[in-house]
Amino acid sequence: MQLLQRIKNGTPITQSELASLEKIIYEKVEEEAKDFLRETFFKTLYIGYFGSGFAKSAAGILYWPLRQLSNKDVRLTPGEEILYHTLPYHDEDSLVILFAEPGTENLVAKTSDAVRLTGSRMLVIAHPLPEIILSRITGPSITIDYQDLPLAFIIAAAKLATMLSKSIGEIKIRTERVISEYSEISTIYNDLINKYKNNIADISDTIVRVKKVIIYTSPTLEPASNLLHWYLNTVAIESKLATISTLLSDISTSINYLFMETLSLIISTDVEADILREAKFKASLANIRSHLSELVIHTDPLTAPLYASLISNKIYTTVVEKMIKNA
C-alpha cells in the first residue's frame, strides 16, 4: 500500500509490524551512521529539517534528549536557515543532521554543497533520492522507503538519539534511560496506547464531530503536536498549532471562539500542569464556544516527545477510522 493511500485509510500499525519496522530501520541507521557519528569533535550540532510535517517532528524527537543531556551546542533549525543564513556566515566545525521530506531534494543538494565548502559534515535522512542528488552528497545518507513514512522517520530519529546520547550525553543515569526506552519502541507500544486509550477515544470523537482543532503544545511535545497537526490536515480536518501560552491569550480575547465550535487540545507534560490548570479555569469563566481537551504525557520529559508522537499517530488513525465509519 502506497504512503498516501495508507494516510487516507488511516491504517493502524500493529505491534508486530512496528517491531519489524523498528528492526529494519535500526539496522539501516546503525550501518549508515555509526562511523559518521563516532567522531564527536564538533562545535555545533545543527538538527535541521526541510518540510513542515514529519521531518520537523523527527528532528524534534532527536533534538530534545540531546539538548537536555549534552553540554554540546545543539540547535534545532529549519534547513533553509542552515543553508542560507548559518553555514555561509559561521566559520566553525559543524555537524548537520538533516531530515528531508519528498519535494525538497534540490535543497538537500544545495545544503550538501554548503556543508562541503565550509568544512562541516552532514548526515541526511530522506526518502529515496535521485542519483543526480546523491552524487552531490558527500556524507552518508539514510534512505527511508516504507509505507508509513512519518512513523519510519520517527523511529530513525529515535535510533539516532540513542547513538548520539551514548557519545555526547553528560548525565549518565538519564542518558541510560533514553538509550533503553528509545531502543524498545515496539515493546512498550501496546501498553502505551492502552494507558491513554480513553484520551485517544475522547479526542478523536471530538475531532470528528467539530472538524476544527487548535493544538496548544508545550515546547518538548511540539514534535508530537506538529505530527498530529500535519496528519489531520491530510484528511481535511482544519488544524492549527500554537504554544500553550497562546491559549491563555486566545481565551482572554476570544479570537478563536466567536464564530465556530473548535476543539482546543492541550498536549503537555506534567511540568506544564500550572498552565493547564489556569487555562481550564479561565475557559470555564469565559463561556466560550469551545471544547477543551488535554493530553498530558506522564513520563520523563526526555522520553515524552517519542511517546506522545506514537499517541498522535494513533489519534490520527482512530480519527480516520471514525470518518470512514460515519461516511
Side-chain angles (χ1 to χ4, degrees):
M1 185 183 300
Q2 296 300 312
L3 167 65
L4 291 179
Q5 191 60 48
R6 182 159 191 154
I7 288 175
K8 291 177 181 178
N9 291 346
T11 307
I13 193 167
T14 66
Q15 186 167 16
S16 61
E17 289 174 331
L18 182 61
S20 177
L21 182 61
E22 184 179 19
K23 182 176 185 296
I24 292 171
I25 292 178
Y26 274 22
E27 289 177 352
K28 179 183 286 288
V29 173
E30 180 77 21
E31 178 183 356
E32 298 292 340
K34 64 179 179 180
D35 292 336
F36 178 79
L37 298 179
R38 186 174 291 127
E39 176 55 66
T40 59
F41 176 76
F42 53 85
K43 292 182 179 179
T44 307
L45 169 59
Y46 294 104
I47 302 174
Y49 52 89
F50 282 125
S52 62
F54 52 86
K56 182 178 181 180
S57 297
I61 287 173
L62 174 58
Y63 167 78
W64 278 107
L66 299 180
R67 175 68 179 84
Q68 295 172 323
L69 291 174
S70 176
N71 289 328
K72 294 279 190 179
D73 186 5
V74 183
R75 305 184 189 183
L76 176 66
T77 182
E80 295 93 328
E81 182 176 330
I82 296 172
L83 172 58
Y84 295 112
H85 306 291
T86 299
L87 292 177
Y89 302 103
H90 290 77
D91 183 18
E92 58 185 0
D93 295 312
S94 301
L95 177 65
V96 177
I97 299 180
L98 184 65
F99 295 86
E101 293 178 15
T104 65
E105 296 85 358
N106 286 332
L107 290 174
V108 172
K110 290 180 180 179
T111 305
S112 182
D113 293 341
V115 165
R116 183 178 61 257
L117 292 172
T118 56
S120 298
R121 298 182 296 136
M122 184 171 77
L123 170 67
V124 176
I125 302 91
H127 69 297
L129 297 170
E131 285 299 325
I132 192 172
I133 301 296
L134 285 173
S135 67
R136 291 174 60 182
I137 298 176
T138 55
S141 59
I142 298 171
T143 299
I144 304 295
D145 185 18
Y146 303 101
Q147 292 175 343
D148 195 330
L149 197 57
L151 190 58
F153 263 60
I154 288 170
I155 294 172
K159 176 60 176 176
L160 288 169
T162 66
M163 296 172 71
L164 276 165
S165 294
K166 288 178 183 178
S167 57
I168 66 174
E170 303 288 341
I171 306 173
K172 184 176 180 181
I173 294 177
R174 301 192 78 199
T175 296
E176 290 175 349
R177 178 167 186 171
V178 167
I179 292 171
S180 173
E181 296 191 29
Y182 272 48
S183 299
E184 300 176 351
I185 298 174
S186 60
T187 60
I188 56 89
Y189 181 74
N190 282 351
D191 288 341
L192 175 71
I193 298 304
N194 186 62
K195 180 178 179 180
Y196 291 92
K197 64 180 181 181
N198 291 335
N199 298 90
I200 292 169
D202 292 343
I203 292 168
S204 58
D205 281 344
T206 307
I207 289 174
V208 171
R209 186 169 67 252
V210 303
K211 295 183 174 58
K212 296 180 184 295
V213 188
I214 303 176
I215 303 171
Y216 296 97
T217 181
S218 67
T220 56
L221 295 190
E222 185 175 353
S225 300
N226 185 77
L227 183 65
L228 181 59
H229 164 68
W230 179 84
Y231 267 139
L232 292 177
N233 281 324
T234 66
V235 289
I237 298 292
E238 184 179 329
S239 174
K240 298 179 181 179
L241 192 64
T243 63
I244 292 182
S245 61
T246 304
L247 174 59
L248 301 177
S249 173
D250 285 351
I251 290 174
S252 177
T253 58
S254 296
I255 289 175
N256 294 303
Y257 312 100
L258 290 175
F259 307 109
M260 65 184 75
E261 280 197 329
T262 304
L263 169 63
S264 297
L265 173 59
I266 303 173
I267 301 182
S268 67
T269 64
D270 292 314
V271 174
E272 295 90 12
D274 56 335
I275 301 181
L276 181 58
R277 284 194 298 269
E278 182 179 357
K280 292 168 69 175
F281 176 72
K282 288 184 175 180
S284 67
L285 295 179
N287 193 30
I288 57 177
R289 295 180 60 197
S290 172
H291 303 274
L292 184 62
S293 296
E294 60 192 80
L295 175 62
V296 182
I297 308 300
H298 304 292
T299 64
D300 189 313
L302 282 173
T303 55
L306 175 60
Y307 293 162
S309 295
L310 295 173
I311 294 170
S312 290
N313 178 277
K314 183 61 177 178
I315 290 173
Y316 159 72
T317 57
T318 304
V319 164
V320 175
E321 287 171 352
K322 293 177 182 295
M323 291 174 67
I324 293 173
K325 184 178 179 180
N326 294 342

